[in-house]
Amino acid sequence: QSVLTQPPSASGTPGQRVTISCSGSSSNIGSNYVYWYQQLSGTAPKLLIDRNNQRPSGVPDRFSGSKSGTSASLAISGLRSEDEADYYCAAWDDNLHSVFGGGTKLTVL
Amino acid sequence: EVQLVESGGGLVKPGNSLRLSCTASGFNFNTYTMNWVRQAPGKGLEWVSSISSSSSYIFYAASLKGRFTISRDNAKNSLFLQMNSLRADDTAIYYCARADEAVVIRGVLPLAMDVWGQGTTVTVSS
């Protein structure tokens, strides 16, 4: 069982807006940055959102992140077929380890 | 080109050992925290270990119970993971990943993992 809690699945149709939640605690999300990673099928993870809401170079502005208290969210607007992937939230935990969410499989219908 | 290439994976019997390597290129290896993250078949990502740029700060997942050791050789731009007493549930793809580090009162903490290798597969089976 993962320290950070994500819904196992999410879905949307092309053009829709989808959000994925990530719930943690005061020792991780509540006191440290949240990161989001995208993993396309059969490939290595890719950093999607840095420091709660910062998009690395090359990441479309359709992707946005937010954080409030001990929870965080990833929003994808203008959903496209190529967004179909697994999405993971992550954070440092003050108990001296990194933690990942269990992952959310996004299906574009 | 910024790149991480893992090697050393393979098929190993339960109880045996394996040493993974990760070779970096295209960036100043000695200024980044390096990490190992694994992914069991059909499962999610699991953080394994992190080592700061100077090797002064090392962190492990509690679930490893002292069986794994992370190290690095900055002169050779290389990261290592020594895995002992391997078990079937260690079967996974092992990724190395680069992270900026933040200097805080408590020491040095890893930030986002912004560059990942392609992974090396470890299979533990008799």
Side-chain angles (χ1 to χ4, degrees):
Chain A
Q1 192 159 349
S2 302
V3 173
L4 304 182
T5 301
Q6 298 180 235
S9 63
S11 63
T13 56
Q16 267 191 331
R17 183 177 188 270
V18 171
T19 61
I20 297 172
S21 62
C22 175
S23 178
S25 68
S26 58
S27 64
N28 41 66
I29 292 179
S31 53
N32 295 289
Y33 292 123
V34 176
Y35 312 106
W36 289 91
Y37 299 92
Q38 177 193 58
Q39 187 177 32
L40 300 172
S41 180
T43 69
K46 167 192 168 185
L47 178 63
L48 196 64
I49 297 291
D50 189 3
R51 305 190 191 204
N52 303 331
N53 55 20
Q54 303 300 304
R55 282 186 308 277
S57 175
V59 174
D61 60 6
R62 301 185 297 104
F63 294 91
S64 62
S66 63
K67 171 183 146 177
S68 178
T70 59
S71 294
S73 291
L74 172 70
I76 309 171
S77 60
L79 196 62
R80 304 176 66 157
S81 58
E82 57 260 40
D83 298 334
E84 189 160 286
D86 294 325
Y87 292 86
Y88 296 90
C89 58
W92 180 255
D93 191 293
D94 288 343
N95 293 306
L96 302 183
H97 53 263
S98 284
V99 289
F100 281 95
T104 298
K105 183 177 182 61
L106 175 64
T107 300
V108 180
L109 302 170
Chain B
E1 179 191 5
V2 174
Q3 196 172 13
L4 296 170
V5 178
E6 302 94 337
S7 59
L11 174 63
V12 61
K13 289 180 167 48
N16 283 4
S17 299
L18 203 60
R19 189 190 195 214
L20 305 183
S21 300
C22 171
T23 301
S25 59
F27 65 97
N28 292 328
F29 181 76
N30 61 6
T31 64
Y32 288 88
T33 281
M34 296 301 296
N35 308 270
W36 288 101
V37 176
R38 69 183 181 181
Q39 186 169 35
K43 302 297 184 182
L45 301 175
E46 179 187 15
W47 172 78
V48 172
S49 182
S50 299
I51 183 169
S52 66
S53 57
S54 63
S55 302
S56 298
Y57 297 91
I58 291 175
F59 308 102
Y60 294 102
S63 60
L64 300 178
K65 296 181 180 177
R67 297 182 297 119
F68 291 10
T69 301
I70 192 172
S71 62
R72 63 191 294 163
D73 184 340
N74 285 347
K76 296 183 178 180
N77 290 345
S78 295
L79 172 72
F80 307 102
L81 186 67
Q82 177 67 42
M83 305 186 295
N84 298 330
S85 303
L86 283 162
R87 311 184 306 217
D89 62 358
D90 294 317
T91 294
I93 298 173
Y94 284 74
Y95 296 101
C96 68
R98 177 187 92 168
D100 274 323
E101 53 190 35
V103 177
V104 297
I105 294 175
R106 295 159 288 173
V108 173
L109 302 180
L111 298 174
M113 298 180 204
D114 66 340
V115 177
W116 295 66
Q118 85 290 348
T120 187
T121 299
V122 173
T123 303
V124 184
S125 174
S126 54

